Amino acid sequence: GERLPKPERGKMRVHKINNVNKALDFIASKGVKLVSIGAEEIVDGNAKMTLGMIWTIILRFAIQDISVEETSAKEGLLLWCQRKTAPYKNVNVQNFHISWKDGLAFNALIHRHRPELIEYDKLRKDDPVTNLNNAFEVAEKYLDIPKMLDAEDIVNTARPDEKAIMTYVSSFYHAFSGAQKAETAANRICKVLAVNQENEHLMEDYEKLASDLLEWIKRTIPWLEDRSPQKTIQEMQQKLEDFRDYRRVHKPPKVQEKCQLEINFNTLQTKLRLSNRPAFMPSEGKMVSDINTGWQHLEQAEKGYEEWLLNEIRRLERLDHLAEKFRQKASIHEAWTDGKETMLKQKDYETATLSDIKALIRKHEAFESDLAAHQDRVEQIAAIAQELNELDYYDSPNVNARCQKICDQWDVLGSLTHSRREALEKTEKQLETIDELHLEYAKRAAPFNNWMESAMEDLQDMFIVHTIEEIEGLIAAHDQFKSTLPDADKEREAILGIQREAQRIADFNSIKLSGNNPYTSVTPQIINSKWERVQQLVPKRDHALLDEQSKQQSNEHLRRQFASQANIVGPWIQTKME
């Protein structure tokens, strides 16, 4: 690949010497020391000098540049042959003369690099000529290596020419080295292509993975930001279980994807930088920073969601506890109020006696104390219902309806309790008034009854009189008695008025008196009956007295007649007796 000075075209000796000198100068410029070799000897056809120069050229350009594991030239070429033929049986390259006589080493070199050209297993060590010719022909035909050696010369020579063998073997080295370089270059190109393809795959994978991850984040954040409360603790527990599944099952693979995404991105950028390629720029919105931003939003939403779930569960637990407390207190209160309205509405006081009323009042006072004690429970029920409303309890309408019913019933009980107390106290006062009237009635009815009984005895009493004076005295006494009858009738009316007043009060206030006057057995009927009897006996007494008066008057007349006759007869009789 290097240009030499343009040769002279003349045919003269001087032209030839100049042209050879140009070649020798070039060789010398490559660091080759030409000792005792001149252009004149070569132009004059000195075979020894010419062959020496050719060998020098071969050493410099074919052998000296060979380098294998820090060895060069002859040693390097020998080491290369040893390494390439090491796996083959019956081949042991130790030099560049007798080690090549059987031809197996040449075939081994070819087979090592082009196994399709040699059927090495069919070669026999005892047939060196065939082996050598096979190697030379294959090398010339397929590897463009000239047939520099003769098989018979090598076989028939005790020690083949080392320089000839070395020169021929170096052709194999350069042929295979060039092929190897071409293969290496091809491999390098393939590798570059593979790297590019791999980079493209990494870019595609990054884009797809980034899209999928961002889509998942976009889909998950609204779910985590959803703060719609559930009605029951069971539904919220299910939400918490779903969140735990998300944490335990769904999120970890995404964490791995995110890490893998960052690793792929960094790996891709490193590969691109090492291969002097422009840095990878993902699509808009799919940068690692965009993914990290989305992930931070996801983490924030997740943290807020977990806090909300726990707070909501605690709220529902408190609500359940409050609701249960409300139900218990409401049930206890409703059980206590059962039948109380009926009890307060009953009018048992209308037929009660004064002592019964006092007992009912004492019983009512005890109920009022019980009612006051339950006031605190009603206030607690209302407070719990209010708290349930403030905490947005899902069943608040039913709670409110039940609470309102309890409060309304409580107001009714309070009103009925007040009304019953008023009715009991009013009835007590009325019964006390009636009782006082009964007592007054009894106090006045008893002596009046005794007076009537005495009057009836007197009016029915048998009388025996002998004189007119006696009957007149009875008539005078009877007249005196009759003069008291108007006052007695007024007293009777007053006594009966007391009874009527008591009955009027009872009737007006719908009080059903249980029986007779507790202080006396003298009823108005008895008084009226006895008074009628007195009224009947008075005229009978009048007649009896008048009859007796007439009789006494008649008797008095007879007595007077008898007395007058006695005044006449008496002296006569006395005279007679004398």
Side-chain angles (χ1 to χ4, degrees):
E2 297 186 32
R3 299 184 70 84
L4 271 67
K6 190 175 181 180
E8 297 178 7
R9 297 189 178 276
K11 300 292 185 178
M12 298 176 64
R13 173 181 171 82
V14 66
H15 296 143
K16 296 178 181 179
I17 291 173
N18 287 338
N19 286 337
V20 172
N21 277 327
K22 289 179 181 179
L24 293 177
D25 290 341
F26 176 80
I27 294 169
S29 69
K30 296 300 179 182
V32 178
K33 293 181 180 181
L34 297 173
V35 181
S36 301
I37 297 177
E40 292 80 358
E41 288 83 1
I42 295 174
V43 170
D44 291 339
N46 188 324
K48 184 176 181 180
M49 288 294 181
T50 303
L51 289 173
M53 185 191 69
I54 292 173
W55 176 243
T56 299
I57 293 172
I58 291 172
L59 282 177
R60 170 62 185 86
F61 294 102
I63 299 175
Q64 185 176 327
D65 290 340
I66 296 173
S67 177
V68 179
E69 295 185 8
E70 299 182 359
T71 61
S72 59
K74 179 180 177 181
E75 291 78 10
L77 183 60
L78 182 62
L79 180 59
W80 178 78
C81 293
Q82 291 172 343
R83 293 291 171 82
K84 295 298 181 180
T85 59
Y88 294 87
K89 64 181 180 177
N90 298 323
V91 177
N92 184 15
V93 178
Q94 297 297 325
N95 48 56
F96 285 107
H97 38 80
I98 61 175
S99 295
W100 302 84
K101 285 187 68 175
D102 57 10
L104 292 177
F106 292 108
N107 284 278
L109 281 177
I110 297 171
H111 185 269
R112 179 65 181 269
H113 293 90
R114 298 288 298 276
E116 75 280 8
L117 300 178
I118 301 290
E119 294 184 62
Y120 187 82
D121 292 337
K122 293 183 178 181
L123 300 177
R124 301 200 328 265
K125 187 175 178 64
D126 57 358
D127 190 5
V129 175
T130 302
N131 297 339
L132 289 167
N133 285 327
N134 180 67
F136 296 159
E137 290 170 2
V138 169
E140 186 177 27
K141 183 176 181 181
Y142 296 103
L143 302 179
D144 293 329
I145 296 175
K147 188 177 179 180
M148 303 178 186
L149 304 176
D150 182 76
E152 287 74 9
D153 289 346
I154 295 173
V155 173
N156 295 327
T157 304
R159 178 186 171 95
D161 184 69
E162 183 177 45
K163 293 178 181 179
I165 298 292
M166 189 183 305
T167 301
Y168 188 62
V169 171
S170 68
S171 298
F172 282 93
Y173 173 84
H174 289 294
F176 292 133
S177 176
Q180 186 173 358
K181 287 179 181 179
E183 183 179 355
T184 301
N187 289 338
R188 188 170 297 153
I189 293 171
C190 292
K191 185 176 181 181
V192 170
L193 292 174
V195 168
N196 289 340
Q197 288 180 346
E198 183 181 358
N199 291 342
E200 289 179 1
H201 285 312
L202 286 174
M203 292 177 189
E204 293 174 359
D205 291 345
Y206 176 89
E207 290 282 339
K208 185 177 186 307
L209 195 58
S211 297
D212 293 345
L213 186 58
L214 287 170
E215 179 63 28
W216 179 81
I217 292 173
K218 182 180 178 181
R219 207 170 50 246
T220 305
I221 287 178
W223 175 68
L224 293 173
E225 289 178 342
D226 181 17
R227 300 294 189 271
S228 303
Q230 300 300 313
K231 292 182 178 180
T232 65
I233 193 170
Q234 290 78 15
E235 291 173 319
M236 286 307 299
Q237 288 286 3
Q238 184 58 50
K239 268 186 171 285
L240 181 60
E241 189 61 32
D242 292 342
F243 177 70
R244 286 173 177 167
D245 283 344
Y246 155 79
R247 276 273 189 86
R248 187 173 55 249
V249 178
H250 302 292
K251 185 181 177 184
K254 300 303 177 182
V255 173
Q256 293 180 355
E257 287 181 16
K258 178 177 177 293
C259 294
Q260 189 61 47
L261 192 68
E262 294 175 353
I263 292 170
N264 290 355
F265 181 81
N266 293 330
T267 301
L268 177 60
Q269 298 294 43
T270 300
K271 286 185 174 184
L272 292 172
R273 186 171 62 254
L274 291 175
S275 58
N276 294 320
R277 298 292 301 280
F280 169 59
M281 183 61 65
S283 302
E284 185 178 357
K286 296 180 183 179
M287 295 288 292
V288 172
S289 59
D290 297 323
I291 294 170
N292 287 333
T293 300
W295 194 266
Q296 287 176 358
H297 292 163
L298 178 75
E299 295 281 354
Q300 291 172 357
E302 179 182 317
K303 182 180 179 182
Y305 188 68
E306 184 177 21
E307 290 176 356
W308 174 76
L309 278 176
L310 294 175
N311 290 334
E312 192 64 17
I313 287 173
R314 283 193 289 269
R315 183 183 73 85
L316 288 177
E317 286 175 346
R318 174 165 175 74
L319 281 176
D320 277 2
H321 173 72
L322 283 174
E324 182 60 27
K325 189 175 180 181
F326 174 84
R327 286 190 287 270
Q328 288 179 353
K329 287 186 177 292
S331 297
I332 292 172
H333 177 78
E334 288 165 349
W336 179 82
T337 57
D338 186 38
K340 294 295 188 293
E341 285 189 38
T342 303
M343 181 269 290
L344 292 171
K345 287 179 180 178
Q346 65 182 349
K347 297 183 178 181
D348 49 351
Y349 50 82
E350 291 182 351
T351 59
T353 62
L354 183 59
S355 59
D356 292 338
I357 283 293
K358 291 185 180 298
L360 288 173
I361 288 175
R362 286 193 294 272
K363 182 179 179 182
H364 189 70
E365 288 173 349
F367 173 76
E368 286 178 327
S369 298
D370 195 13
L371 187 70
H374 278 77
Q375 175 69 31
D376 185 53
R377 177 174 283 113
V378 175
E379 291 175 354
Q380 289 177 0
I381 290 172
I384 293 172
Q386 179 64 28
E387 189 170 1
L388 287 171
N389 277 283
E390 292 174 354
L391 293 174
D392 196 23
Y393 182 53
Y394 77 95
D395 201 24
S396 290
N398 289 331
V399 169
N400 292 336
R402 192 173 183 182
C403 180
Q404 188 62 47
K405 182 179 179 181
I406 288 173
C407 291
D408 292 344
Q409 187 186 37
W410 185 254
D411 293 339
V412 170
L413 287 178
S415 177
L416 290 175
T417 300
H418 180 71
S419 298
R420 183 170 174 81
R421 168 167 276 283
E422 287 183 342
L424 288 172
E425 290 176 347
K426 180 180 178 182
T427 303
E428 181 186 29
K429 290 180 181 178
Q430 292 164 352
L431 286 176
E432 285 177 346
T433 301
I434 292 171
D435 188 70
E436 290 174 358
L437 291 172
H438 280 169
L439 182 60
E440 184 181 356
Y441 173 90
K443 287 180 179 179
R444 295 176 69 173
F448 185 71
N449 184 61
N450 291 335
W451 175 83
M452 287 191 298
E453 287 180 350
S454 297
M456 286 188 293
E457 288 179 7
D458 291 341
L459 290 172
Q460 294 180 82
D461 189 22
M462 296 294 295
F463 57 86
I464 299 173
V465 294
H466 300 287
T467 65
I468 190 66
E469 290 80 8
E470 290 180 350
I471 192 61
E472 286 179 352
L474 289 174
I475 291 173
H478 183 61
D479 289 339
Q480 179 66 32
F481 168 74
K482 287 196 296 182
S483 66
T484 63
L485 287 178
D487 291 335
D489 190 34
K490 289 181 181 179
E491 178 66 13
R492 180 183 69 82
E493 285 297 329
I495 293 170
L496 293 177
I498 293 171
Q499 177 61 30
R500 284 195 296 273
E501 178 63 16
Q503 189 62 47
R504 185 193 68 77
I505 293 172
D507 292 341
F508 181 78
N509 294 286
S510 301
I511 298 173
K512 299 176 182 178
L513 297 177
S514 58
N516 295 326
N517 192 318
Y519 300 108
T520 181
S521 60
V522 180
T523 64
Q525 291 80 9
I526 293 175
I527 291 175
N528 286 332
S529 176
K530 289 183 177 181
W531 178 255
E532 289 176 1
R533 182 62 177 159
V534 169
Q535 293 291 88
Q536 292 172 358
L537 291 174
V538 168
K540 288 182 179 180
R541 187 72 171 179
D542 285 340
H543 290 304
L545 288 174
L546 289 174
D547 288 345
E548 186 63 31
Q549 184 183 31
S550 296
K551 184 179 178 182
Q552 289 299 329
Q553 287 176 350
S554 178
N555 288 340
E556 182 66 24
H557 180 69
L558 290 175
R559 279 195 296 271
R560 288 178 179 174
Q561 286 181 348
F562 181 74
S564 63
Q565 289 179 358
N567 289 334
I568 298 173
V569 175
W572 179 79
I573 292 174
Q574 188 174 6
T575 59
K576 289 293 180 181
M577 288 181 64
E578 292 178 353

mmCIF file with all atom_site columns, all heavy atoms in Angstrom, residues 169-186:
data_model
loop_
_atom_site.group_PDB
_atom_site.id
_atom_site.type_symbol
_atom_site.label_atom_id
_atom_site.label_alt_id
_atom_site.label_comp_id
_atom_site.label_asym_id
_atom_site.label_entity_id
_atom_site.label_seq_id
_atom_site.pdbx_PDB_ins_code
_atom_site.Cartn_x
_atom_site.Cartn_y
_atom_site.Cartn_z
_atom_site.occupancy
_atom_site.B_iso_or_equiv
_atom_site.pdbx_formal_charge
_atom_site.auth_seq_id
_atom_site.auth_comp_id
_atom_site.auth_asym_id
_atom_site.auth_atom_id
_atom_site.pdbx_PDB_model_num
ATOM 1   N N   . VAL A 1 169 ? 5.328   -21.527 5.406  1.00 0.00 ? 169 VAL A N   1
ATOM 2   C CA  . VAL A 1 169 ? 4.389   -21.493 6.569  1.00 0.00 ? 169 VAL A CA  1
ATOM 3   C C   . VAL A 1 169 ? 3.943   -20.068 6.842  1.00 0.00 ? 169 VAL A C   1
ATOM 4   O O   . VAL A 1 169 ? 2.788   -19.822 7.224  1.00 0.00 ? 169 VAL A O   1
ATOM 5   C CB  . VAL A 1 169 ? 5.064   -22.132 7.812  1.00 0.00 ? 169 VAL A CB  1
ATOM 6   C CG1 . VAL A 1 169 ? 4.220   -21.902 9.056  1.00 0.00 ? 169 VAL A CG1 1
ATOM 7   C CG2 . VAL A 1 169 ? 5.268   -23.618 7.584  1.00 0.00 ? 169 VAL A CG2 1
ATOM 8   N N   . SER A 1 170 ? 4.882   -19.089 6.628  1.00 0.00 ? 170 SER A N   1
ATOM 9   C CA  . SER A 1 170 ? 4.480   -17.697 6.880  1.00 0.00 ? 170 SER A CA  1
ATOM 10  C C   . SER A 1 170 ? 3.343   -17.273 5.957  1.00 0.00 ? 170 SER A C   1
ATOM 11  O O   . SER A 1 170 ? 2.522   -16.422 6.297  1.00 0.00 ? 170 SER A O   1
ATOM 12  C CB  . SER A 1 170 ? 5.692   -16.766 6.706  1.00 0.00 ? 170 SER A CB  1
ATOM 13  O OG  . SER A 1 170 ? 6.102   -16.707 5.342  1.00 0.00 ? 170 SER A OG  1
ATOM 14  N N   . SER A 1 171 ? 3.329   -17.912 4.733  1.00 0.00 ? 171 SER A N   1
ATOM 15  C CA  . SER A 1 171 ? 2.210   -17.605 3.825  1.00 0.00 ? 171 SER A CA  1
ATOM 16  C C   . SER A 1 171 ? 0.870   -18.044 4.435  1.00 0.00 ? 171 SER A C   1
ATOM 17  O O   . SER A 1 171 ? -0.165  -17.362 4.281  1.00 0.00 ? 171 SER A O   1
ATOM 18  C CB  . SER A 1 171 ? 2.431   -18.307 2.482  1.00 0.00 ? 171 SER A CB  1
ATOM 19  O OG  . SER A 1 171 ? 3.613   -17.845 1.870  1.00 0.00 ? 171 SER A OG  1
ATOM 20  N N   . PHE A 1 172 ? 0.915   -19.209 5.108  1.00 0.00 ? 172 PHE A N   1
ATOM 21  C CA  . PHE A 1 172 ? -0.310  -19.668 5.804  1.00 0.00 ? 172 PHE A CA  1
ATOM 22  C C   . PHE A 1 172 ? -0.711  -18.670 6.900  1.00 0.00 ? 172 PHE A C   1
ATOM 23  O O   . PHE A 1 172 ? -1.890  -18.330 7.069  1.00 0.00 ? 172 PHE A O   1
ATOM 24  C CB  . PHE A 1 172 ? -0.085  -21.056 6.422  1.00 0.00 ? 172 PHE A CB  1
ATOM 25  C CG  . PHE A 1 172 ? -0.164  -22.168 5.429  1.00 0.00 ? 172 PHE A CG  1
ATOM 26  C CD1 . PHE A 1 172 ? 0.985   -22.652 4.794  1.00 0.00 ? 172 PHE A CD1 1
ATOM 27  C CD2 . PHE A 1 172 ? -1.381  -22.739 5.100  1.00 0.00 ? 172 PHE A CD2 1
ATOM 28  C CE1 . PHE A 1 172 ? 0.903   -23.677 3.881  1.00 0.00 ? 172 PHE A CE1 1
ATOM 29  C CE2 . PHE A 1 172 ? -1.456  -23.787 4.192  1.00 0.00 ? 172 PHE A CE2 1
ATOM 30  C CZ  . PHE A 1 172 ? -0.305  -24.242 3.560  1.00 0.00 ? 172 PHE A CZ  1
ATOM 31  N N   . TYR A 1 173 ? 0.306   -18.203 7.616  1.00 0.00 ? 173 TYR A N   1
ATOM 32  C CA  . TYR A 1 173 ? 0.023   -17.270 8.722  1.00 0.00 ? 173 TYR A CA  1
ATOM 33  C C   . TYR A 1 173 ? -0.647  -16.011 8.174  1.00 0.00 ? 173 TYR A C   1
ATOM 34  O O   . TYR A 1 173 ? -1.692  -15.568 8.698  1.00 0.00 ? 173 TYR A O   1
ATOM 35  C CB  . TYR A 1 173 ? 1.319   -16.913 9.443  1.00 0.00 ? 173 TYR A CB  1
ATOM 36  C CG  . TYR A 1 173 ? 1.125   -15.828 10.489 1.00 0.00 ? 173 TYR A CG  1
ATOM 37  C CD1 . TYR A 1 173 ? 0.685   -16.142 11.768 1.00 0.00 ? 173 TYR A CD1 1
ATOM 38  C CD2 . TYR A 1 173 ? 1.380   -14.491 10.174 1.00 0.00 ? 173 TYR A CD2 1
ATOM 39  C CE1 . TYR A 1 173 ? 0.504   -15.148 12.708 1.00 0.00 ? 173 TYR A CE1 1
ATOM 40  C CE2 . TYR A 1 173 ? 1.198   -13.498 11.117 1.00 0.00 ? 173 TYR A CE2 1
ATOM 41  C CZ  . TYR A 1 173 ? 0.754   -13.827 12.394 1.00 0.00 ? 173 TYR A CZ  1
ATOM 42  O OH  . TYR A 1 173 ? 0.556   -12.839 13.331 1.00 0.00 ? 173 TYR A OH  1
ATOM 43  N N   . HIS A 1 174 ? -0.040  -15.462 7.097  1.00 0.00 ? 174 HIS A N   1
ATOM 44  C CA  . HIS A 1 174 ? -0.601  -14.228 6.562  1.00 0.00 ? 174 HIS A CA  1
ATOM 45  C C   . HIS A 1 174 ? -1.971  -14.456 5.923  1.00 0.00 ? 174 HIS A C   1
ATOM 46  O O   . HIS A 1 174 ? -2.864  -13.588 6.016  1.00 0.00 ? 174 HIS A O   1
ATOM 47  C CB  . HIS A 1 174 ? 0.372   -13.612 5.559  1.00 0.00 ? 174 HIS A CB  1
ATOM 48  C CG  . HIS A 1 174 ? 1.595   -13.038 6.205  1.00 0.00 ? 174 HIS A CG  1
ATOM 49  N ND1 . HIS A 1 174 ? 1.570   -11.962 7.049  1.00 0.00 ? 174 HIS A ND1 1
ATOM 50  C CD2 . HIS A 1 174 ? 2.927   -13.413 6.137  1.00 0.00 ? 174 HIS A CD2 1
ATOM 51  C CE1 . HIS A 1 174 ? 2.791   -11.687 7.479  1.00 0.00 ? 174 HIS A CE1 1
ATOM 52  N NE2 . HIS A 1 174 ? 3.640   -12.584 6.931  1.00 0.00 ? 174 HIS A NE2 1
ATOM 53  N N   . ALA A 1 175 ? -2.128  -15.618 5.309  1.00 0.00 ? 175 ALA A N   1
ATOM 54  C CA  . ALA A 1 175 ? -3.426  -15.903 4.685  1.00 0.00 ? 175 ALA A CA  1
ATOM 55  C C   . ALA A 1 175 ? -4.527  -15.990 5.750  1.00 0.00 ? 175 ALA A C   1
ATOM 56  O O   . ALA A 1 175 ? -5.592  -15.373 5.631  1.00 0.00 ? 175 ALA A O   1
ATOM 57  C CB  . ALA A 1 175 ? -3.344  -17.192 3.893  1.00 0.00 ? 175 ALA A CB  1
ATOM 58  N N   . PHE A 1 176 ? -4.220  -16.803 6.756  1.00 0.00 ? 176 PHE A N   1
ATOM 59  C CA  . PHE A 1 176 ? -5.241  -16.979 7.812  1.00 0.00 ? 176 PHE A CA  1
ATOM 60  C C   . PHE A 1 176 ? -5.363  -15.745 8.697  1.00 0.00 ? 176 PHE A C   1
ATOM 61  O O   . PHE A 1 176 ? -6.441  -15.418 9.210  1.00 0.00 ? 176 PHE A O   1
ATOM 62  C CB  . PHE A 1 176 ? -4.914  -18.210 8.654  1.00 0.00 ? 176 PHE A CB  1
ATOM 63  C CG  . PHE A 1 176 ? -5.067  -19.502 7.896  1.00 0.00 ? 176 PHE A CG  1
ATOM 64  C CD1 . PHE A 1 176 ? -4.085  -20.483 7.942  1.00 0.00 ? 176 PHE A CD1 1
ATOM 65  C CD2 . PHE A 1 176 ? -6.187  -19.730 7.115  1.00 0.00 ? 176 PHE A CD2 1
ATOM 66  C CE1 . PHE A 1 176 ? -4.229  -21.669 7.235  1.00 0.00 ? 176 PHE A CE1 1
ATOM 67  C CE2 . PHE A 1 176 ? -6.341  -20.916 6.410  1.00 0.00 ? 176 PHE A CE2 1
ATOM 68  C CZ  . PHE A 1 176 ? -5.345  -21.889 6.463  1.00 0.00 ? 176 PHE A CZ  1
ATOM 69  N N   . SER A 1 177 ? -4.228  -15.032 8.910  1.00 0.00 ? 177 SER A N   1
ATOM 70  C CA  . SER A 1 177 ? -4.283  -13.819 9.711  1.00 0.00 ? 177 SER A CA  1
ATOM 71  C C   . SER A 1 177 ? -5.136  -12.774 9.010  1.00 0.00 ? 177 SER A C   1
ATOM 72  O O   . SER A 1 177 ? -5.948  -12.089 9.630  1.00 0.00 ? 177 SER A O   1
ATOM 73  C CB  . SER A 1 177 ? -2.867  -13.296 9.958  1.00 0.00 ? 177 SER A CB  1
ATOM 74  O OG  . SER A 1 177 ? -2.906  -12.081 10.660 1.00 0.00 ? 177 SER A OG  1
ATOM 75  N N   . GLY A 1 178 ? -4.938  -12.661 7.670  1.00 0.00 ? 178 GLY A N   1
ATOM 76  C CA  . GLY A 1 178 ? -5.762  -11.717 6.922  1.00 0.00 ? 178 GLY A CA  1
ATOM 77  C C   . GLY A 1 178 ? -7.233  -12.095 6.979  1.00 0.00 ? 178 GLY A C   1
ATOM 78  O O   . GLY A 1 178 ? -8.113  -11.252 7.155  1.00 0.00 ? 178 GLY A O   1
ATOM 79  N N   . ALA A 1 179 ? -7.455  -13.415 6.819  1.00 0.00 ? 179 ALA A N   1
ATOM 80  C CA  . ALA A 1 179 ? -8.859  -13.881 6.903  1.00 0.00 ? 179 ALA A CA  1
ATOM 81  C C   . ALA A 1 179 ? -9.429  -13.617 8.291  1.00 0.00 ? 179 ALA A C   1
ATOM 82  O O   . ALA A 1 179 ? -10.590 -13.231 8.456  1.00 0.00 ? 179 ALA A O   1
ATOM 83  C CB  . ALA A 1 179 ? -8.913  -15.366 6.574  1.00 0.00 ? 179 ALA A CB  1
ATOM 84  N N   . GLN A 1 180 ? -8.529  -13.852 9.263  1.00 0.00 ? 180 GLN A N   1
ATOM 85  C CA  . GLN A 1 180 ? -8.987  -13.631 10.640 1.00 0.00 ? 180 GLN A CA  1
ATOM 86  C C   . GLN A 1 180 ? -9.276  -12.160 10.875 1.00 0.00 ? 180 GLN A C   1
ATOM 87  O O   . GLN A 1 180 ? -10.242 -11.795 11.551 1.00 0.00 ? 180 GLN A O   1
ATOM 88  C CB  . GLN A 1 180 ? -7.913  -14.129 11.628 1.00 0.00 ? 180 GLN A CB  1
ATOM 89  C CG  . GLN A 1 180 ? -8.375  -14.055 13.087 1.00 0.00 ? 180 GLN A CG  1
ATOM 90  C CD  . GLN A 1 180 ? -7.368  -14.714 14.017 1.00 0.00 ? 180 GLN A CD  1
ATOM 91  O OE1 . GLN A 1 180 ? -6.350  -15.250 13.570 1.00 0.00 ? 180 GLN A OE1 1
ATOM 92  N NE2 . GLN A 1 180 ? -7.667  -14.663 15.301 1.00 0.00 ? 180 GLN A NE2 1
ATOM 93  N N   . LYS A 1 181 ? -8.380  -11.293 10.269 1.00 0.00 ? 181 LYS A N   1
ATOM 94  C CA  . LYS A 1 181 ? -8.634  -9.865  10.424 1.00 0.00 ? 181 LYS A CA  1
ATOM 95  C C   . LYS A 1 181 ? -9.939  -9.475  9.747  1.00 0.00 ? 181 LYS A C   1
ATOM 96  O O   . LYS A 1 181 ? -10.708 -8.676  10.274 1.00 0.00 ? 181 LYS A O   1
ATOM 97  C CB  . LYS A 1 181 ? -7.476  -9.076  9.830  1.00 0.00 ? 181 LYS A CB  1
ATOM 98  C CG  . LYS A 1 181 ? -6.218  -9.129  10.681 1.00 0.00 ? 181 LYS A CG  1
ATOM 99  C CD  . LYS A 1 181 ? -5.095  -8.338  10.028 1.00 0.00 ? 181 LYS A CD  1
ATOM 100 C CE  . LYS A 1 181 ? -3.828  -8.409  10.879 1.00 0.00 ? 181 LYS A CE  1
ATOM 101 N NZ  . LYS A 1 181 ? -2.699  -7.666  10.239 1.00 0.00 ? 181 LYS A NZ  1
ATOM 102 N N   . ALA A 1 182 ? -10.123 -10.061 8.525  1.00 0.00 ? 182 ALA A N   1
ATOM 103 C CA  . ALA A 1 182 ? -11.391 -9.774  7.827  1.00 0.00 ? 182 ALA A CA  1
ATOM 104 C C   . ALA A 1 182 ? -12.577 -10.261 8.637  1.00 0.00 ? 182 ALA A C   1
ATOM 105 O O   . ALA A 1 182 ? -13.606 -9.594  8.771  1.00 0.00 ? 182 ALA A O   1
ATOM 106 C CB  . ALA A 1 182 ? -11.373 -10.431 6.445  1.00 0.00 ? 182 ALA A CB  1
ATOM 107 N N   . GLU A 1 183 ? -12.400 -11.475 9.212  1.00 0.00 ? 183 GLU A N   1
ATOM 108 C CA  . GLU A 1 183 ? -13.470 -12.033 10.052 1.00 0.00 ? 183 GLU A CA  1
ATOM 109 C C   . GLU A 1 183 ? -13.685 -11.172 11.292 1.00 0.00 ? 183 GLU A C   1
ATOM 110 O O   . GLU A 1 183 ? -14.812 -10.909 11.717 1.00 0.00 ? 183 GLU A O   1
ATOM 111 C CB  . GLU A 1 183 ? -13.106 -13.461 10.451 1.00 0.00 ? 183 GLU A CB  1
ATOM 112 C CG  . GLU A 1 183 ? -14.199 -14.148 11.263 1.00 0.00 ? 183 GLU A CG  1
ATOM 113 C CD  . GLU A 1 183 ? -13.807 -15.577 11.609 1.00 0.00 ? 183 GLU A CD  1
ATOM 114 O OE1 . GLU A 1 183 ? -12.750 -16.041 11.149 1.00 0.00 ? 183 GLU A OE1 1
ATOM 115 O OE2 . GLU A 1 183 ? -14.579 -16.212 12.358 1.00 0.00 ? 183 GLU A OE2 1
ATOM 116 N N   . THR A 1 184 ? -12.496 -10.734 11.813 1.00 0.00 ? 184 THR A N   1
ATOM 117 C CA  . THR A 1 184 ? -12.593 -9.867  12.997 1.00 0.00 ? 184 THR A CA  1
ATOM 118 C C   . THR A 1 184 ? -13.315 -8.569  12.652 1.00 0.00 ? 184 THR A C   1
ATOM 119 O O   . THR A 1 184 ? -14.160 -8.085  13.410 1.00 0.00 ? 184 THR A O   1
ATOM 120 C CB  . THR A 1 184 ? -11.186 -9.560  13.538 1.00 0.00 ? 184 THR A CB  1
ATOM 121 O OG1 . THR A 1 184 ? -10.540 -10.778 13.868 1.00 0.00 ? 184 THR A OG1 1
ATOM 122 C CG2 . THR A 1 184 ? -11.261 -8.660  14.754 1.00 0.00 ? 184 THR A CG2 1
ATOM 123 N N   . ALA A 1 185 ? -12.935 -8.028  11.468 1.00 0.00 ? 185 ALA A N   1
ATOM 124 C CA  . ALA A 1 185 ? -13.610 -6.798  11.039 1.00 0.00 ? 185 ALA A CA  1
ATOM 125 C C   . ALA A 1 185 ? -15.107 -7.047  10.835 1.00 0.00 ? 185 ALA A C   1
ATOM 126 O O   . ALA A 1 185 ? -15.951 -6.249  11.244 1.00 0.00 ? 185 ALA A O   1
ATOM 127 C CB  . ALA A 1 185 ? -12.974 -6.277  9.757  1.00 0.00 ? 185 ALA A CB  1
ATOM 128 N N   . ALA A 1 186 ? -15.371 -8.209  10.184 1.00 0.00 ? 186 ALA A N   1
ATOM 129 C CA  . ALA A 1 186 ? -16.786 -8.545  9.974  1.00 0.00 ? 186 ALA A CA  1
ATOM 130 C C   . ALA A 1 186 ? -17.502 -8.747  11.307 1.00 0.00 ? 186 ALA A C   1
ATOM 131 O O   . ALA A 1 186 ? -18.631 -8.289  11.511 1.00 0.00 ? 186 ALA A O   1
ATOM 132 C CB  . ALA A 1 186 ? -16.895 -9.801  9.117  1.00 0.00 ? 186 ALA A CB  1
#
